[in-house]
Every structure is written in C-alpha cells, then in structure tokens.
Amino acid sequence: MHEFAVTKHMTELVLNEAQNAGAAKVTDIYLAIGDISTFINESVQLFFDMYSKDTIAEGAQLHFRRIPAEFICRACGQSFTPRGGDNFDCPACGGLGKPTDKGHEFYVEKIDII
Amino acid sequence: MEVKVMKPILGGNQCIADTNRRDFAAHQLYLINVMASPGAGKTSTLMRLLPELQADHAVGIIEGDIASSIDAEKFQKIGVPVIQINTGGGCHLDAEMIRRSVPELKLAPGGFVFIENVGNLVCPASFDLGEDLKFVILSVSEGDDKPYKYIEIFERADVVILNKTDLKPYIDFNDEYFRRGVRALNENAPIFEISCKTGEGVRELADWLKQRNRAKQAC
C-alpha cells in the first residue's frame, strides 16, 4: 500500500524531468532506495506499470539500487549494518549503534530518454 | 540520452510541508502529528489529553482514517472541532491534505491542532506534514521490540508515548530493551508512560505540551 502513493510521486517526477528534457520516450529509470525506507521493488514496479500507462514512460525499465542501512557505534566508531533485526548493538564492541543517512535514500538518480 | 535527476521522490510533499510550517507558525498554531498502529490508543490518548489542555488553549482535531467517521464523532460529542479526512484506502496523510484542512478548524492563536494519522507504523513516517511535533504512541501489548522493526518512525519521533502501562503486570514487556531501541535511534525524544485506562501520566504529558506551545509562541 505504501508504494501506491510514493510511486505516483516518482512517476510524476520522472515525467516532468523527461518533458523538460524534450523526451519522446523514457526507456530506463534508475532509483536509489535505502533499506530503512521499507519500499519493496516489486510493488514499486507494479504501481509504476499502472501509473505510466499511456504516458511516454510506459514500458520503461526500472533499475533499483538498494542501499543497506548503516549504523555507527557510539562507543568505538565502527560502521555496521544491523543484523537479525532484534538489536542495534555494535558487532565489534557491543556498544549502542546510531543510524546514519545511509539507508534512508529514496530518489531518482537518472533517467534514459530518446 | 541520459538525464541526471538526483531528486528526492517525496520532494513535492516536503515542499508543501515546509510552507505549512511557515504558514501555521504565522497563525500561531501548534501542530502535532499523532502516529501509531491501529489500536495503540491514538483516539483514547487524545480524549484524555484534551480536557487537560482546553482550559488554556483552543484545540482542534484533524482525523485521518481509511474510512468511517467513528473517531470524529467521539470528538464532536465532547464539543471539539474536528475535520474528517477519509483517505479512501491511502495508508497515510500528506502535507496537502493538512494544508487544506487546518484553516477549516478556525482555531484561535495559541491553539493546538492534533492530527490523528492513519493507524500505521510505516507509511506516515515518510510524509512530513509541516507539524511542530511528531508523536509516536506504542502500547505495551504491541511488544517491546517495535523500535527494532519500525526504525524510521522511532527515529523521527519528537515524543514517544508508551500507553496501556496498566497492563504491564500481565505482559512480558521489557522496558530496558524497549528504551535501548528507542535511544539507539533517537537520543532526544522524551518517553512518556501513560495509561488511558487510569489516566496516569496524562497530566505530565499535557504540561510538557503546554510548555512547548508557549515556548514556540514566545519566539
């Protein structure tokens, strides 16, 4: 359900960029998605096919670059991706981790047009 | 031909949220985005909080639901102005909905606007509404592991409210584990423990809110 609204925003953004660039067709869309954003590739694809129908982006190939969450240990400074989903503790020293910007990404990197 | 974009997908919503924040500050309103899973006690918390606030402040509610007006009617019955937004299946409120609704409440300066978001710990976290505070309410019966599963919402919370604390004797809720998860994600958000059943802790939360509202209006 979440992807329903955000894919609409994404499709509008892509169409706007494509029109500004004078595109006749959008062939490829490159997305950066952080794992913390909780968006699922397949759902984005499903809703994109729906929203892009009868537009110049219809049939465009979506490319997903997934970015793992990166935490940093408050005690020793070690970077790590929380594993197992039941704690945010540093695998090196057991200190309490803290989220960084990595893993929150949700943007259109580039599009290919003809 | 390649076109570099590098634009956030929710940039449009963010833009409206930023405008909301400026406009509502100019009208001296204090907006609180109330987020929680279905059944955590969003409506009950507000029903307990409002009487503590109404003596000193105007209060209005924006009620977001997928469908129905059950909650809105509860607020109407106690004489609180309420605007119902039915999202028609949408899992969250967005900044544009808030922009249209807040003026309809016609609140006096210094008033609180509580936005009861759609019950969901995922989607509402991604949509800034232009609010002053994000409330995240969790009830003890949902479990102490929620911060570890719903990272974004606990990371963005300004206040974490633990509700239904009267049930603690009957539930294996590990306070230390819960608080460690919240603190990993969020160093600053105060954690208020309340019980909507007994009313415990509600006055402390109300006093803290009044103080925050006054501090904003004094700026």
Side-chain angles (χ1 to χ4, degrees), chain A residues 1-2 5-7 9-10 13 17 21 31 36-39 71 74 85-89 94-100 104 106-114, chain B residues 1-10 12-13 89-92 94 122-124 126-127 145 147-149 151-152 155-156 177 180-187:
Chain A
M1 209 54 230
H2 195 188
V6 296
T7 308
H9 288 283
M10 186 273 282
L13 174 64
E17 293 289 324
L31 304 170
I36 291 176
S37 72
T38 67
F39 300 117
F71 278 52
R74 290 161 203 260
D86 63 354
N87 71 78
F88 300 130
D89 297 343
L96 189 60
K98 174 182 173 172
T100 65
H104 292 90
F106 192 49
Y107 57 92
V108 180
E109 291 188 307
K110 59 176 185 170
I111 55 175
D112 290 340
I113 58 171
I114 47 176
Chain B
M1 186 177 78
E2 182 184 301
V3 179
K4 283 248 178 291
V5 180
M6 302 305 281
K7 285 187 183 164
I9 288 164
L10 295 177
N13 181 73
C91 52
H92 60 272
D94 65 32
V122 183
C123 318
S126 307
F127 288 80
D145 57 355
Y148 302 92
K149 294 182 173 172
I151 294 176
E152 196 176 15
E155 200 182 351
R156 296 191 181 206
Y177 181 59
R180 187 170 171 83
V182 173
R183 282 293 163 251
L185 300 171
N186 195 320
E187 284 168 0

XYZ file of all heavy atoms in Angstrom, chain A residues 1-2 5-7 9-10 13 17 21 31 36-39 71 74 85-89 94-100 104 106-114, chain B residues 1-10 12-13 89-92 94 122-124 126-127 145 147-149 151-152 155-156 177 180-187:
620
model
N 0.828 -1.214 0.000
C 0.000 0.000 0.000
C 0.862 1.264 0.000
O 0.585 2.233 -0.685
C -0.861 -0.035 1.270
C -2.175 0.673 1.111
S -3.109 0.071 -0.276
C -3.509 1.610 -1.063
N 1.907 1.231 0.789
C 2.818 2.364 0.907
C 3.318 2.830 -0.453
O 3.378 4.008 -0.754
C 4.011 1.886 1.744
C 4.857 2.974 2.272
N 6.042 2.733 2.901
C 4.713 4.294 2.257
C 6.580 3.880 3.265
N 5.787 4.844 2.888
N 1.247 5.425 -3.171
C 1.375 6.884 -3.191
C 2.757 7.327 -3.655
O 2.888 8.245 -4.462
C 1.080 7.460 -1.815
N 3.784 6.653 -3.155
C 5.131 7.141 -3.495
C 5.472 6.873 -4.956
O 6.180 7.653 -5.587
C 6.229 6.563 -2.573
C 6.037 7.014 -1.159
C 6.320 5.081 -2.659
N 4.941 5.802 -5.528
C 5.222 5.536 -6.936
C 4.524 6.568 -7.819
O 5.027 6.935 -8.869
C 4.800 4.100 -7.323
O 5.397 3.202 -6.392
C 5.253 3.743 -8.717
N 4.165 9.724 -6.959
C 5.093 10.867 -6.894
C 6.286 10.633 -7.813
O 6.737 11.531 -8.518
C 5.594 11.078 -5.462
C 4.566 11.642 -4.524
N 4.219 12.971 -4.514
C 3.816 11.061 -3.570
C 3.288 13.174 -3.586
N 3.038 12.020 -3.001
N 6.819 9.410 -7.783
C 8.005 9.082 -8.587
C 7.690 9.219 -10.074
O 8.454 9.808 -10.832
C 8.459 7.655 -8.227
C 9.748 7.212 -8.860
S 9.520 6.473 -10.494
C 8.945 4.841 -10.049
N 7.425 12.823 -11.088
C 8.756 13.441 -11.133
C 9.480 13.066 -12.429
O 10.054 13.918 -13.111
C 9.566 12.979 -9.900
C 11.033 13.390 -9.802
C 11.182 14.903 -9.696
C 11.694 12.736 -8.583
N 10.613 15.561 -15.505
C 12.020 15.675 -15.934
C 12.158 15.340 -17.415
O 12.894 15.997 -18.145
C 12.902 14.717 -15.116
C 13.019 15.076 -13.643
C 13.864 16.320 -13.401
O 14.859 16.515 -14.132
O 13.529 17.102 -12.489
N 13.280 17.771 -20.630
C 14.429 17.426 -21.474
C 13.986 17.177 -22.919
O 14.802 16.805 -23.763
C 15.126 16.199 -20.900
N 16.634 4.155 -9.760
C 16.193 4.589 -8.439
C 17.199 4.160 -7.374
O 17.739 3.051 -7.440
C 14.840 3.951 -8.091
C 13.696 4.191 -9.072
C 12.507 3.298 -8.722
C 13.274 5.649 -9.051
N 16.002 1.250 4.912
C 15.153 1.731 6.006
C 13.838 2.287 5.465
O 12.825 2.317 6.161
C 15.906 2.786 6.853
C 17.035 2.091 7.629
C 14.981 3.523 7.823
C 17.923 3.015 8.423
N 13.842 2.702 4.211
C 12.618 3.279 3.625
C 11.492 2.252 3.498
O 10.339 2.622 3.305
C 12.928 3.882 2.260
O 13.166 2.845 1.333
N 11.832 0.984 3.569
C 10.856 -0.119 3.543
C 10.055 -0.264 2.252
O 9.044 -0.947 2.216
C 9.831 -0.062 4.724
O 8.996 1.084 4.575
C 10.523 -0.007 6.074
N 10.494 0.390 1.177
C 9.792 0.204 -0.094
C 10.243 -1.096 -0.747
O 11.414 -1.442 -0.726
C 10.060 1.371 -1.049
C 9.625 2.690 -0.495
C 10.537 3.706 -0.254
C 8.292 2.919 -0.172
C 10.144 4.917 0.287
C 7.887 4.128 0.374
C 8.816 5.135 0.604
N 24.769 1.865 10.389
C 24.797 2.441 11.733
C 26.249 2.684 12.113
O 27.154 2.085 11.541
C 24.151 1.484 12.754
C 22.641 1.549 12.798
C 21.898 1.423 11.636
C 21.976 1.732 13.999
C 20.500 1.483 11.665
C 20.580 1.783 14.050
C 19.841 1.667 12.885
N 28.404 4.222 18.840
C 28.673 5.415 19.657
C 29.925 5.240 20.511
O 30.533 6.217 20.933
C 27.499 5.678 20.612
C 26.239 6.146 19.927
C 25.030 5.928 20.841
N 23.816 5.843 20.066
C 22.959 6.844 19.901
N 23.180 7.993 20.454
N 21.877 6.668 19.177
N 17.792 -8.004 13.109
C 16.598 -7.197 13.343
C 16.152 -7.107 14.787
O 15.092 -6.575 15.060
N 16.948 -7.632 15.743
C 16.484 -7.539 17.125
C 17.399 -6.715 18.021
O 17.206 -6.660 19.228
C 16.265 -8.940 17.712
C 17.559 -9.734 17.780
O 18.588 -9.227 17.274
O 17.545 -10.840 18.327
N 18.432 -6.089 17.439
C 19.237 -5.155 18.226
C 20.028 -4.218 17.307
O 20.155 -4.475 16.112
C 20.182 -5.897 19.172
C 21.317 -6.576 18.430
O 22.274 -5.913 18.033
N 21.220 -7.874 18.220
N 20.496 -3.115 17.906
C 21.308 -2.145 17.156
C 22.711 -2.102 17.757
O 23.363 -1.071 17.752
C 20.675 -0.751 17.218
C 19.287 -0.676 16.634
C 18.254 -0.082 17.347
C 19.022 -1.161 15.356
C 16.969 0.010 16.805
C 17.747 -1.075 14.818
C 16.717 -0.494 15.537
N 23.137 -3.230 18.326
C 24.420 -3.245 19.026
C 25.580 -3.453 18.052
O 25.467 -4.188 17.066
C 24.426 -4.351 20.088
C 23.376 -4.097 21.166
O 22.902 -2.950 21.253
O 23.024 -5.045 21.894
N 29.886 -4.225 21.079
C 28.622 -4.334 21.820
C 28.022 -2.993 22.195
O 26.977 -2.932 22.839
N 28.693 -1.886 21.797
C 28.177 -0.535 22.102
C 26.892 -0.253 21.343
O 26.519 -0.981 20.413
N 26.238 0.816 21.749
C 24.954 1.166 21.124
C 25.185 1.890 19.795
O 25.903 2.884 19.733
C 24.158 2.052 22.086
C 22.708 2.345 21.704
C 21.889 1.064 21.599
C 22.077 3.292 22.728
N 24.554 1.365 18.754
C 24.679 1.975 17.435
C 23.767 3.168 17.264
O 22.858 3.391 18.058
N 24.023 3.904 16.194
C 23.256 5.108 15.888
C 23.088 5.156 14.379
O 24.055 4.909 13.637
C 24.096 6.280 16.393
C 23.602 7.649 16.092
C 24.638 8.625 16.671
C 24.293 10.035 16.259
N 25.138 11.014 16.946
N 21.883 5.461 13.881
C 21.708 5.455 12.425
C 22.482 6.589 11.743
O 22.752 7.612 12.376
C 20.201 5.654 12.232
C 19.632 5.991 13.553
C 20.657 5.803 14.605
N 22.829 6.387 10.497
C 23.436 7.441 9.685
C 22.458 7.735 8.540
O 21.371 7.163 8.496
C 24.775 6.979 9.087
O 24.502 5.906 8.172
C 25.737 6.501 10.154
N 18.423 5.626 4.160
C 17.199 6.437 4.081
C 16.938 6.948 2.663
O 15.957 7.657 2.442
C 17.307 7.654 4.998
C 17.319 7.318 6.453
N 18.466 7.070 7.143
C 16.313 7.171 7.337
C 18.164 6.796 8.395
N 16.862 6.846 8.550
N 15.854 7.776 -1.009
C 14.701 7.466 -1.868
C 14.618 8.542 -2.931
O 13.936 9.545 -2.783
C 13.406 7.394 -1.050
C 12.275 6.804 -1.837
C 12.434 5.620 -2.537
C 11.053 7.442 -1.903
C 11.392 5.078 -3.276
C 10.002 6.905 -2.636
C 10.182 5.723 -3.325
N 15.399 8.354 -3.991
C 15.413 9.369 -5.033
C 15.623 8.766 -6.411
O 16.022 7.612 -6.547
C 16.442 10.456 -4.734
C 17.864 9.985 -4.542
C 18.755 9.940 -5.616
C 18.328 9.608 -3.289
C 20.067 9.533 -5.439
C 19.636 9.186 -3.108
C 20.499 9.151 -4.181
O 21.785 8.736 -4.008
N 15.321 9.573 -7.420
C 15.579 9.181 -8.804
C 16.978 9.642 -9.140
O 17.276 10.841 -9.040
C 14.563 9.825 -9.772
C 14.854 9.409 -11.207
C 13.135 9.448 -9.384
N 17.868 8.707 -9.491
C 19.241 9.091 -9.809
C 19.343 9.670 -11.215
O 19.913 10.719 -11.438
C 20.157 7.865 -9.700
C 20.312 7.407 -8.265
C 21.358 6.321 -8.089
O 21.260 5.296 -8.802
O 22.241 6.489 -7.241
N 18.800 8.930 -12.178
C 18.853 9.401 -13.567
C 17.793 8.680 -14.371
O 17.225 7.663 -13.935
C 20.248 9.172 -14.153
C 20.663 7.709 -14.144
C 22.014 7.524 -14.817
C 22.336 6.046 -14.911
N 23.479 5.715 -15.737
N 17.532 9.199 -15.563
C 16.642 8.508 -16.490
C 17.297 8.475 -17.879
O 18.121 9.341 -18.189
C 15.239 9.194 -16.598
C 15.375 10.677 -16.975
C 14.484 9.066 -15.292
C 14.027 11.381 -17.212
N 16.983 7.459 -18.646
C 17.414 7.419 -20.052
C 16.216 7.740 -20.911
O 15.139 7.146 -20.742
C 17.973 6.033 -20.420
C 19.317 5.770 -19.747
O 19.971 6.758 -19.343
O 19.698 4.595 -19.608
N 16.423 8.670 -21.864
C 15.316 9.070 -22.734
C 15.741 9.000 -24.200
O 16.938 8.986 -24.505
C 14.851 10.511 -22.415
C 16.023 11.510 -22.585
C 14.281 10.609 -21.012
C 15.604 12.965 -22.498
N 14.764 8.922 -25.078
C 15.067 9.058 -26.520
C 14.125 10.122 -27.092
O 13.119 10.468 -26.474
C 14.944 7.722 -27.306
C 13.646 6.987 -26.947
C 16.145 6.843 -27.005
C 13.431 5.727 -27.748
N 19.620 9.072 -24.498
C 20.317 10.149 -23.797
C 20.054 10.032 -22.287
O 18.944 9.730 -21.870
C 19.789 11.505 -24.282
C 20.550 12.661 -23.703
S 19.975 14.263 -24.331
C 18.493 14.539 -23.393
N 21.120 10.259 -21.542
C 20.976 10.146 -20.082
C 20.657 11.515 -19.467
O 21.284 12.509 -19.833
C 22.302 9.617 -19.531
C 22.296 9.411 -18.045
C 23.665 8.976 -17.528
O 24.168 7.924 -17.969
O 24.219 9.709 -16.686
N 19.690 11.549 -18.583
C 19.375 12.796 -17.869
C 19.609 12.573 -16.380
O 18.975 11.709 -15.765
C 17.896 13.218 -18.097
C 17.583 14.501 -17.334
C 17.589 13.374 -19.564
N 20.549 13.306 -15.820
C 20.796 13.206 -14.371
C 19.640 13.877 -13.631
O 19.244 14.980 -13.968
C 22.093 13.945 -14.012
C 23.351 13.208 -14.365
C 24.084 12.763 -13.094
C 25.342 11.969 -13.401
N 25.057 10.638 -13.972
N 19.092 13.205 -12.636
C 17.942 13.773 -11.918
C 18.343 14.098 -10.466
O 18.321 15.236 -10.045
C 16.728 12.820 -11.965
C 15.547 13.434 -11.227
C 16.343 12.523 -13.419
N 18.704 13.076 -9.728
C 19.131 13.240 -8.325
C 18.145 14.062 -7.481
O 18.521 14.986 -6.768
C 20.533 13.879 -8.261
C 21.609 13.096 -8.978
S 21.749 11.373 -8.430
C 22.659 11.575 -6.906
N 16.872 13.714 -7.619
C 15.866 14.448 -6.835
C 15.096 13.490 -5.929
O 14.720 12.406 -6.358
C 14.875 15.151 -7.764
C 15.469 16.384 -8.413
C 14.426 17.155 -9.184
C 15.077 18.348 -9.874
N 14.230 18.916 -10.915
N 14.820 13.925 -4.685
C 14.049 13.047 -3.795
C 12.632 12.872 -4.322
O 12.006 13.831 -4.784
C 14.056 13.776 -2.454
C 14.410 15.179 -2.765
C 15.187 15.187 -4.034
N 12.141 11.652 -4.221
C 10.825 11.328 -4.770
C 9.710 12.031 -3.999
O 8.697 12.406 -4.559
C 10.654 9.791 -4.805
C 11.552 9.251 -5.924
C 9.209 9.376 -5.016
C 11.822 7.777 -5.886
N 9.926 12.241 -2.709
C 8.892 12.918 -1.927
C 9.180 14.416 -1.779
O 8.665 15.071 -0.872
C 8.739 12.246 -0.560
C 8.227 10.803 -0.652
C 8.173 10.153 0.715
C 6.857 10.745 -1.313
N 8.122 16.882 -3.507
C 6.908 17.685 -3.665
C 6.170 17.822 -2.348
O 5.752 18.914 -1.950
N 6.045 16.708 -1.628
C 5.373 16.727 -0.320
C 6.167 17.571 0.677
O 5.594 18.339 1.446
C 5.217 15.299 0.214
C 4.497 15.267 1.553
O 3.299 15.469 1.623
N 5.257 15.084 2.628
N -8.549 4.463 1.359
C -7.618 3.359 1.154
C -6.164 3.779 1.341
O -5.307 2.951 1.595
N -5.884 5.073 1.234
C -4.497 5.548 1.401
C -4.024 5.321 2.819
O -4.795 5.481 3.768
N -2.747 4.949 2.976
C -2.251 4.494 4.269
C -1.661 5.599 5.128
O -1.114 5.336 6.181
C -1.213 3.412 4.050
S 0.073 3.915 2.901
N -1.756 6.855 4.701
C -1.146 7.950 5.460
C -1.788 9.266 5.033
O -2.449 9.330 3.999
C 0.353 8.022 5.160
C 0.610 8.269 3.695
N 0.719 7.237 2.795
C 0.694 9.408 2.991
C 0.897 7.744 1.591
N 0.876 9.051 1.666
N -1.010 13.310 3.885
C 0.118 14.051 3.320
C -0.043 15.549 3.566
O -1.073 16.010 4.068
C 0.324 13.717 1.833
C -0.828 14.154 0.963
O -1.473 15.168 1.271
O -1.083 13.475 -0.055
N 4.384 2.445 9.498
C 5.323 2.502 8.374
C 5.170 3.793 7.572
O 6.013 4.691 7.642
C 5.154 1.270 7.451
C 6.183 1.312 6.332
C 5.316 -0.011 8.239
N 4.090 3.892 6.822
C 3.963 4.963 5.827
C 3.965 6.386 6.402
O 4.634 7.261 5.848
C 2.716 4.768 4.995
S 2.462 3.068 4.533
N 3.235 6.660 7.496
C 3.188 8.048 7.960
C 4.577 8.610 8.282
O 4.789 9.823 8.222
C 2.314 7.975 9.219
C 1.440 6.796 8.986
C 2.337 5.801 8.295
N 7.216 8.604 6.585
C 7.918 9.188 5.427
C 7.340 10.529 4.988
O 7.942 11.204 4.170
C 7.841 8.238 4.225
O 8.288 6.961 4.572
N 6.164 10.882 5.497
C 5.497 12.088 4.999
C 5.477 13.188 6.054
O 4.723 13.125 7.016
C 4.060 11.756 4.560
C 4.013 10.959 3.290
C 4.229 9.590 3.307
C 3.800 11.584 2.074
C 4.221 8.848 2.138
C 3.784 10.854 0.901
C 3.992 9.484 0.927
N 9.679 -4.855 21.105
C 10.642 -4.920 20.002
C 10.319 -3.961 18.852
O 11.008 -3.953 17.843
C 10.711 -6.361 19.453
C 9.356 -6.865 18.993
O 8.336 -6.160 19.183
O 9.300 -7.980 18.436
N 10.685 -0.704 18.220
C 11.700 0.210 17.676
C 12.663 -0.496 16.711
O 13.168 0.114 15.777
C 12.445 0.711 18.915
C 11.497 0.498 20.042
C 10.688 -0.714 19.689
N 12.904 -1.782 16.951
C 13.857 -2.528 16.126
C 13.253 -2.874 14.774
O 13.954 -3.132 13.808
C 14.299 -3.809 16.847
C 14.930 -3.510 18.191
C 14.168 -3.477 19.358
C 16.286 -3.197 18.285
C 14.733 -3.163 20.580
C 16.861 -2.894 19.507
C 16.081 -2.878 20.650
O 16.650 -2.550 21.858
N 11.932 -2.901 14.706
C 11.250 -3.274 13.463
C 10.799 -2.076 12.644
O 10.662 -2.157 11.433
C 10.027 -4.135 13.790
C 10.387 -5.474 14.382
C 9.137 -6.285 14.627
C 9.505 -7.697 15.067
N 8.324 -8.448 15.484
N 12.081 1.265 12.253
C 13.192 2.178 12.530
C 12.828 3.637 12.249
O 13.029 4.511 13.083
C 14.422 1.756 11.689
C 14.924 0.392 12.164
C 15.527 2.807 11.742
C 16.069 -0.180 11.345
N 12.268 3.868 11.076
C 12.098 5.255 10.635
C 11.178 6.055 11.564
O 11.458 7.202 11.902
C 11.557 5.281 9.199
C 11.727 6.641 8.560
C 11.283 6.681 7.106
O 10.587 5.757 6.644
O 11.633 7.673 6.440
N 12.857 6.868 14.784
C 13.957 7.788 14.535
C 13.436 9.220 14.404
O 14.071 10.172 14.841
C 14.625 7.350 13.231
C 16.005 7.860 13.049
C 16.582 7.412 11.713
O 15.969 6.571 11.023
O 17.642 7.929 11.369
N 12.286 9.360 13.776
C 11.753 10.705 13.508
C 10.870 11.253 14.618
O 10.466 12.420 14.565
C 10.958 10.680 12.207
C 11.857 10.362 11.035
C 11.175 10.594 9.725
N 12.082 10.240 8.645
C 12.032 10.753 7.437
N 11.133 11.640 7.153
N 12.886 10.371 6.519
N 14.912 -3.089 27.249
C 15.112 -3.437 25.832
C 14.418 -2.420 24.929
O 14.973 -1.953 23.935
C 14.569 -4.842 25.587
C 14.719 -5.366 24.185
C 15.984 -5.487 23.605
C 13.602 -5.753 23.447
C 16.118 -5.979 22.315
C 13.730 -6.253 22.164
C 14.992 -6.358 21.602
O 15.123 -6.846 20.327
N 16.323 0.945 25.121
C 17.613 0.874 24.424
C 17.394 1.034 22.913
O 18.164 1.696 22.232
C 18.303 -0.472 24.736
C 19.719 -0.563 24.199
C 20.437 -1.797 24.732
N 21.715 -2.008 24.071
C 22.849 -1.393 24.399
N 22.861 -0.531 25.382
N 23.972 -1.649 23.724
N 16.323 0.413 22.409
C 15.996 0.535 20.980
C 15.634 1.956 20.604
O 16.108 2.492 19.599
N 14.821 2.596 21.436
C 14.433 3.985 21.156
C 15.665 4.885 21.209
O 15.888 5.712 20.320
C 13.358 4.488 22.156
C 13.089 5.981 21.950
C 12.069 3.702 22.003
N 16.499 4.704 22.220
C 17.669 5.577 22.401
C 18.724 5.398 21.304
O 19.438 6.336 20.977
C 18.289 5.372 23.787
C 17.525 6.066 24.872
C 17.591 7.604 24.742
N 16.540 8.241 25.553
C 15.458 8.843 25.062
N 15.273 8.931 23.750
N 14.566 9.393 25.844
N 18.818 4.179 20.762
C 19.748 3.969 19.646
C 19.335 4.862 18.482
O 20.161 5.489 17.825
C 19.745 2.502 19.223
N 18.039 4.930 18.229
C 17.530 5.656 17.069
C 17.343 7.135 17.342
O 17.343 7.949 16.415
C 16.176 5.062 16.650
C 16.214 3.588 16.255
C 14.799 3.058 16.072
C 17.017 3.407 14.976
N 17.162 7.478 18.616
C 16.668 8.798 18.932
C 17.150 9.209 20.314
O 16.644 8.734 21.328
C 15.128 8.711 18.893
C 14.474 10.047 18.841
O 14.903 10.980 19.499
N 13.425 10.141 18.052
N 18.131 10.093 20.336
C 18.737 10.467 21.624
C 17.841 11.376 22.443
O 17.918 11.415 23.659
C 20.054 11.209 21.383
C 21.182 10.294 20.997
C 22.397 11.052 20.477
O 22.375 12.291 20.412
O 23.362 10.368 20.115
